[in-house]
Amino acid sequence: DKVLLHGRNGEGKSTLVKLMLGQLEATEGEIRRRPFRYVYFPQDALLTLILQFGQLSGVDCIRHGRGDDVTVAKARTYLGRFGFKGSLAVSTISQLSAGQRVRLWLAREYFDSMQDKKLAPSLLVMDEMTENLDVQTVDALV
């Protein structure tokens, strides 16, 4: 299933999403949630990716902060699932297109989720990212 929240800027779409995910608490009323696993792509995801990892390769981005448990081979294999094959997996993040950065962000977030819980997330939430999608990403999401 797919759900679209549509509205003009400043009408509260991002706030509603953050409330649903438990990243914000309501100032009034009550929100009831059941536990679930999700991956969240915030509005500033690509800027954060560049600022934190811009000079690293995709492989190094996946391995960053994970010690020796994640080998180069394991990171390359995992990135291949997201379309990062050959030299693309070792390209500097700042050289990637916006669509490739979206896929890298998603790969990193899914990798984190899978490592912690051993199960895939049941929900993917993407906030304000239509201008950053490339054909490969759209095909993968559809």
Side-chain angles (χ1 to χ4, degrees), residues 21-38:
L21 297 177
Q23 293 184 354
L24 286 178
E25 292 300 322
T27 56
E28 292 182 35
E30 179 182 346
I31 299 174
R32 295 183 200 160
R33 297 179 202 89
R34 291 186 179 169
F36 62 96
R37 292 173 308 283
Y38 66 89

Side-chain angles (χ1 to χ4, degrees), residues 104-124:
L104 180 59
W105 174 276
L106 293 173
R108 184 172 167 79
E109 293 299 306
Y110 271 94
F111 190 87
D112 286 346
S113 178
M114 299 288 284
Q115 297 306 302
D116 293 341
K117 299 171 183 74
K118 307 294 184 208
L119 295 171
S122 56
L123 179 65
L124 170 61

Side-chain angles (χ1 to χ4, degrees), residues 14-97:
S14 295
T15 301
L16 177 61
V17 166
K18 289 176 183 177
L19 286 166
M20 291 186 319
L21 297 177
Q23 293 184 354
L24 286 178
E25 292 300 322
T27 56
E28 292 182 35
E30 179 182 346
I31 299 174
R32 295 183 200 160
R33 297 179 202 89
R34 291 186 179 169
F36 62 96
R37 292 173 308 283
Y38 66 89
V39 168
Y40 176 53
F41 185 95
Q43 288 182 14
D44 62 351
L46 297 187
L47 177 60
T48 301
L49 185 68
I50 288 292
L51 292 176
Q52 288 183 350
F53 306 110
Q55 298 308 309
L56 299 179
S57 69
V59 168
D60 291 335
C61 181
I62 294 295
R63 295 184 70 214
H64 187 268
R66 293 182 174 83
D68 294 332
D69 291 343
V70 181
T71 64
V72 169
K74 183 175 182 178
R76 284 186 77 112
T77 299
Y78 187 77
L79 284 171
R81 297 179 194 165
F82 288 82
F84 290 91
K85 300 184 188 309
S87 63
L88 189 57
V90 292
S91 295
T92 305
I93 294 170
S94 60
Q95 296 174 327
L96 299 176
S97 71

